[in-house]
């Protein structure tokens, strides 16, 4: 199936319609004296970066690129289960919570209400950035009062639940994510707002530990936690974090109205989304683009670029279906040995990632669920040297071919991938910066992804360094 995104009839229709709207507004304004502003004239300064796969697509490098032009970079979901590597001068950090854009001196880092914060991790990140000279004053890092806390009790529960799942374990990052979002949804969570009243805060922590202890001892039959040791820690965190606690919704909405640029950074990916991923092998938050609005408290209508980041192949860490998964020499080629930081081993857990061919059924699904209007590819260079490349274009099940999953991606393993084969290229492409200079086969591969997804690919990374990038609008 080829989807043509550049249908000339549609383009002409759209121009005519927009011109008519413009004229109508002009006439209304002339007669009424009121200045109507159309979508056409409005600046829409919110960009959203989402992962189209199971996380680890390499979103960080595009967030880094776009945050250079942003006034605010805001994380909207997940917790320290995510991880990206940031370089400041000669130093390299693995950040899990603080948006990497904060290393740009002009950018304000924001953590939204959709994020779950482990304060131990947050304080470590703040301290290591401060030590290397990055300003993390309350003016530069704003935390939503509505963000929920991850406590040591959530970590203990995550571990207990995973081991109780036995063979059907999810393979969580053991960062307390599921239990913290469970507390949130069951309306028993502890929010940053609670830190503003110390007595109430400690009372809530103690109640929470007592409740989790009941589960640990009665259901999972393991030792309970003692609140004492972390009560003091949490009081200290409260006093340090208080000045950062903010109404993020109001801050960002005000900024957007003033045409300041906001970059919303999603963690994980579409197929790990609690509602739209490969349930139950998902995370417990909303990595998809809608999660940016809910997780930052923004209304609709500000979105400009919704950038879906996709690796040029596919990876997954943890359990769950992965129809295009491969093993053997090609898998080793794609994964790397683990010696290089960009090899396919988890940033947070160090686990080797499962690898496979790019799956266009799932990519089209991600385009639909997120409303993606631009794709960005990572790691095209990793495909160099492979004899042939495969792209899954549809699935087969019980003799029927499917280009669209009839009931979402939950029961994926019942489907057999149907592949289109491409000739590979042998050339190194890491020093190429111009689209037209890529080997013919690489161009064909990228163009096929565009044709099969219906979305233009503007950015292509050809190596781990910041400048190892092809921007097709510039080349
Ligand atoms: P949790 O988010 O720790 O509960 O883990 C649930 C599932 O999401 C597991 O399969 C994890 O491996 C996966 N996961 C969570 N965060 C990431 C991430 O940042 N990248 C890739 N996989 C992730």
């Amino acid at each position: 199936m080829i989807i043509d995104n550049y249908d000339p009839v549609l383009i002409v229709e759209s121009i005519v319609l927009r011109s008519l709207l413009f004229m109508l507004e002009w006439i209304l304004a002339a007669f009424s004296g009121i200045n109507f502003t159309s979508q056409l004239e409005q600046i829409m300064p919110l960009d959203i970066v989402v992962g189209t796969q199971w996380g680890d697509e390499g979103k960080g490098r595009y967030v880094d690129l776009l945050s250079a032009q942003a006034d605010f970079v805001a994380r909207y979901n997940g917790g320290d289960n995510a991880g990206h590597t940031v370089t400041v001068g000669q130093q390299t950090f693995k950040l899990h919570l603080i948006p990497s854009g904060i290393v740009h001196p002009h950018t304000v880092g924001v953590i939204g209400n959709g994020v779950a914060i482990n304060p131990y991790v947050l304080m470590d990140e703040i301290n290591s950035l401060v030590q290397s000279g990055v300003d993390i004053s309350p003016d530069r890092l704003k935390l939503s009062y509505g963000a929920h806390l991850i406590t040591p009790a959530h970590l203990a529960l995550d571990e207990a639940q995973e081991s109780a799942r036995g063979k059907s374990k999810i393979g969580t990052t053991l960062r307390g994510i599921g239990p913290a979002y469970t507390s949130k949804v069951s309306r028993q969570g502890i929010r940053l707002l609670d830190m503003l009243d110390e007595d109430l805060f400690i009372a809530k922590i103690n109640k929470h530990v007592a409740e989790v202890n009941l589960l640990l001892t009665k259901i999972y039959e393991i030792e309970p936690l003692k609140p004492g040791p972390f009560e003091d820690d949490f009081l200290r965190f409260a006093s340090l974090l208080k000045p950062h606690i903010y109404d993020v919704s109001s801050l960002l909405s005000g900024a957007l109205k003033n045409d300041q640029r906001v970059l919303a950074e999603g963690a994980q990916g579409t197929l790990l989304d609690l509602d739209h991923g490969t349930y139950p092998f998902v995370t417990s938050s909303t990595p998809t683009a809608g999660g940016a609005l809910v997780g930052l408290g923004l209304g609709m209508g500000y979105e400009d670029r919704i950038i879906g980041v996709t690796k040029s192949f596919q990876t997954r860490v943890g359990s769950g279906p992965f129809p295009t998964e491969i093993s053997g020499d090609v898998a080793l080629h794609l994964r790397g040995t683990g010696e290089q930081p960009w090899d396919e081993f988890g940033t947070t857990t160090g686990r080797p990632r499962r690898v496979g061919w790019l799956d266009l059924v799932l990519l089209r699904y991600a385009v639909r669920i997120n409303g993606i209007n631009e794709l960005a590819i990572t790691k095209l260079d990793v495909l160099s040297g492979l004899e042939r490349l495969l792209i899954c274009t549809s699935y087969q099940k019980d003799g029927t071919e499917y280009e669209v999953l009839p009931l979402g991606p939950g029961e994926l393993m019942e489907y057999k991938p149907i592949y289109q084969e491409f000739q590979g290229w042998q050339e190194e492409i890491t020093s190429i910066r111009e689209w037209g200079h890529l080997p013919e086969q690489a161009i064909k591969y990228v163009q096929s992804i565009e044709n099969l997804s219906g979305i233009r690919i503007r950015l292509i990374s050809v190596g781990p360094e910041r400048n190892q990038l092809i921007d097709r609008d510039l080349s």
Side-chain angles (χ1 to χ4, degrees), residues 67-68 70-71 100-108 134-135 139-140:
S67 56
D71 299 290
S100 53
I102 201 147
V103 301
H104 297 283
H106 65 280
T107 310
V108 175
V134 181
D135 174 13
D139 286 344
R140 299 218 55 233

Side-chain angles (χ1 to χ4, degrees), residues 153-213:
H154 289 131
L155 296 180
L157 205 49
D158 200 0
E159 200 169 334
Q161 289 173 340
E162 269 293 84
S163 55
R165 286 184 189 115
K167 274 194 185 149
S168 47
K169 72 176 182 183
I170 294 168
T172 74
T173 57
L174 299 178
R175 300 299 168 115
I177 303 297
Y181 282 101
T182 304
S183 294
K184 172 177 176 170
V185 174
S186 65
R187 295 160 293 184
Q188 289 167 314
I190 303 167
R191 303 197 294 169
L192 288 199
L193 183 68
D194 297 319
M195 287 183 155
L196 301 180
D197 181 333
E198 284 183 5
D199 292 338
L200 198 73
F201 182 50
I202 289 305
K204 279 197 173 183
I205 297 255
N206 287 333
K207 184 167 177 275
H208 155 72
V209 174
E211 278 165 4
V212 172
N213 274 341

Side-chain angles (χ1 to χ4, degrees), residues 6-319:
Y6 314 112
D7 184 338
V9 178
L10 281 181
I11 292 171
V12 171
E13 270 179 11
S14 154
I15 292 170
V16 170
L17 199 70
R18 278 165 175 250
S19 310
L20 284 172
L21 265 173
F22 196 75
M23 276 165 58
L24 190 69
E25 277 166 13
W26 188 83
I27 294 166
L28 280 171
F31 282 98
S32 66
I34 302 168
N35 190 16
F36 293 87
T37 313
S38 75
Q39 287 275 349
L40 197 69
E41 290 169 291
Q42 253 177 31
I43 297 172
M44 291 181 283
L46 173 66
D47 294 331
I48 306 175
V49 174
V50 290
T52 60
Q53 302 168 335
W54 283 288
D56 306 320
E57 297 89 353
K59 296 177 288 295
R61 71 170 304 137
Y62 293 121
V63 168
D64 181 44
L65 180 83
L66 294 164
S67 56
Q69 298 129 35
D71 299 290
F72 295 87
V73 182
R75 251 295 284 283
Y76 62 81
N77 78 296
D80 58 302
N81 46 351
H84 43 242
T85 309
V86 183
T87 306
V88 186
Q90 298 301 312
Q91 284 174 290
T92 297
F93 300 96
K94 284 197 179 325
L95 293 182
H96 300 278
L97 281 168
I98 298 183
S100 53
I102 201 147
V103 301
H104 297 283
H106 65 280
T107 310
V108 175
V110 175
I111 297 185
N113 56 279
V115 177
I117 299 176
N118 180 333
Y120 289 92
V121 177
L122 180 63
M123 286 311 308
D124 276 355
E125 290 187 6
I126 292 178
N127 289 337
S128 58
L129 285 168
V130 167
Q131 273 165 22
S132 38
V134 181
D135 174 13
I136 309 282
S137 57
D139 286 344
R140 299 218 55 233
L141 178 66
K142 314 273 188 192
L143 312 173
S144 165
Y145 67 81
H148 281 245
L149 285 175
I150 299 180
T151 71
H154 289 131
L155 296 180
L157 205 49
D158 200 0
E159 200 169 334
Q161 289 173 340
E162 269 293 84
S163 55
R165 286 184 189 115
K167 274 194 185 149
S168 47
K169 72 176 182 183
I170 294 168
T172 74
T173 57
L174 299 178
R175 300 299 168 115
I177 303 297
Y181 282 101
T182 304
S183 294
K184 172 177 176 170
V185 174
S186 65
R187 295 160 293 184
Q188 289 167 314
I190 303 167
R191 303 197 294 169
L192 288 199
L193 183 68
D194 297 319
M195 287 183 155
L196 301 180
D197 181 333
E198 284 183 5
D199 292 338
L200 198 73
F201 182 50
I202 289 305
K204 279 197 173 183
I205 297 255
N206 287 333
K207 184 167 177 275
H208 155 72
V209 174
E211 278 165 4
V212 172
N213 274 341
L214 270 180
L215 294 173
L216 294 178
T217 52
K218 302 275 183 240
I219 295 186
Y220 300 105
E221 297 175 342
I222 56 173
E223 285 296 302
L225 291 162
K226 294 189 185 71
F230 56 88
E231 207 176 84
D232 291 346
D233 292 344
F234 272 64
L235 277 176
R236 188 164 42 86
F237 296 146
S239 76
L240 291 168
L241 294 177
K242 253 180 214 170
H244 295 269
I245 298 174
Y246 226 80
D247 180 352
V248 160
S249 160
S250 156
L251 173 77
L252 295 182
S253 303
L256 288 164
K257 285 200 172 85
N258 286 326
D259 300 334
Q260 287 186 286
R261 281 209 92 80
V262 176
L263 178 65
E265 173 186 353
Q268 292 86 45
T270 305
L271 302 171
L272 287 175
D273 186 277
L274 178 61
D275 288 83
H276 301 291
T278 47
Y279 192 89
F281 300 100
V282 291
T283 190
S284 298
S285 69
T286 307
T288 43
L293 305 187
V294 179
L296 296 172
L298 298 176
M300 288 179 277
Y302 293 111
E303 315 84 68
D304 181 10
R305 295 164 77 184
I306 302 178
I307 303 169
V309 181
T310 179
K311 237 174 239 176
S312 55
F313 49 101
Q314 210 138 299
T315 62
R316 173 163 210 175
V317 60
S319 324

